[in-house]
Amino acid sequence: MNFPSKLIEDAVTEISRLPGIGKKTALRLALHLLKQHEAHTEALSLALTRMRQEVKYCKICHNIADEEECSICKSHRRDGSVICVVEDMRDVLAIENTNQFSGKYHVLGGVISPIHGIGPEELRIESLISRIDSGVNSEPIKEIILALSATMEGDTTSFYLAKRLKDKAVKVSTIARGIPVGGELEFTDEVTLGRSILTRINYSSE
């Protein structure tokens, strides 16, 4: 692709690094930004810069946050006795959009995947164990919901976690299989995901 400007070419190159964005789409976006009022482009640039520099990860659940603790962990209206374990923050957003879950979360930061060199030690499993052992603000944790994608990696991670939690005084459940096998949580429609949370079942690692 030939560009009339090196500046445009550089912009297209950077935009096309985003997932799902090819060179043609990147060019269309770059030209769109070029046509906008300068203040709009500057606002976008500032928002992206501030996001990169200032967004934090909650010290309790590891979800994205503006402060050391996310709004969900700080909320006294959430049920701290129920922890929903998810792969990443996109799954938190997906479940929150169902309005069917009032507990709190724990973001693992991935799933066990030997083929990609990801073992249990790369995930935030130990901090989950610590949360269970210490409770949440002196409130004992009674249930752990394994809300991981219905993939081989997700099932492997759920099995590992269930084994680790076997001797803990907590109920371990998993979302119902309204989620299609091989499906990613973030792409599941809100009604199906909401029902899967409500109709969760006990998880057995046997």
Side-chain angles (χ1 to χ4, degrees):
M1 184 180 293
N2 295 319
F3 296 93
S5 164
K6 183 65 166 59
L7 297 174
I8 293 292
E9 181 179 0
D10 290 344
V12 169
T13 298
E14 294 305 318
I15 294 173
S16 65
R17 296 181 192 276
L18 296 171
I21 303 294
K23 283 292 181 69
K24 289 184 178 179
T25 300
L27 176 60
R28 187 166 67 250
L29 292 172
L31 293 177
H32 171 77
L33 291 172
L34 189 62
K35 293 177 182 177
Q36 298 301 301
H37 192 282
E38 187 175 346
H40 293 166
T41 307
E42 289 177 350
L44 173 61
S45 176
L46 178 61
L48 292 174
T49 299
R50 289 193 61 194
M51 177 190 71
R52 189 65 184 88
Q53 294 178 347
E54 299 178 22
V55 161
K56 299 176 176 62
Y57 291 93
C58 177
K59 67 179 183 180
I60 297 175
C61 73
H62 310 292
N63 191 20
I64 50 176
D66 292 335
E67 301 175 359
E68 285 194 350
E69 292 185 25
C70 70
S71 58
I72 294 176
C73 283
K74 290 196 298 185
S75 175
H76 296 294
R77 292 181 293 180
R78 308 291 298 222
D79 183 1
S81 69
V82 182
I83 304 295
C84 184
V85 178
V86 297
E87 179 178 345
D88 63 31
M89 61 282 299
R90 291 173 297 183
D91 299 329
V92 174
L93 295 174
I95 294 173
E96 283 296 285
N97 285 336
T98 70
N99 294 314
Q100 298 293 338
F101 181 65
S102 59
K104 298 188 177 182
Y105 295 91
H106 189 86
V107 180
L108 291 176
V111 288
I112 296 172
S113 178
I115 196 171
H116 293 109
I118 302 174
E121 60 278 359
E122 273 76 50
L123 306 180
R124 302 182 186 108
I125 294 175
E126 295 307 319
S127 62
L128 173 63
I129 302 298
S130 296
R131 288 181 72 183
I132 294 171
D133 290 340
S134 61
V136 177
N137 296 327
S138 301
E139 180 180 6
I141 296 174
K142 299 177 181 177
E143 181 180 5
I144 297 294
I145 304 173
L146 303 177
L148 302 175
S149 298
T151 61
M152 182 180 296
E153 292 82 3
D155 287 344
T156 298
T157 307
S158 292
F159 184 80
Y160 177 86
L161 287 172
K163 283 286 190 181
R164 288 291 306 272
L165 301 176
K166 187 175 182 180
D167 297 327
K168 303 293 181 181
V170 294
K171 174 184 177 182
V172 180
S173 61
T174 183
I175 55 178
R177 289 299 190 181
I179 310 300
V181 174
E184 299 287 347
L185 233 60
E186 63 175 302
F187 300 123
T188 303
D189 69 272
E190 294 172 6
V191 174
T192 299
L193 183 55
R195 287 176 179 172
S196 295
I197 290 288
L198 290 177
T199 59
R200 59 186 181 273
I201 57 177
N202 288 340
Y203 188 92
S204 174
S205 59
E206 301 299 332

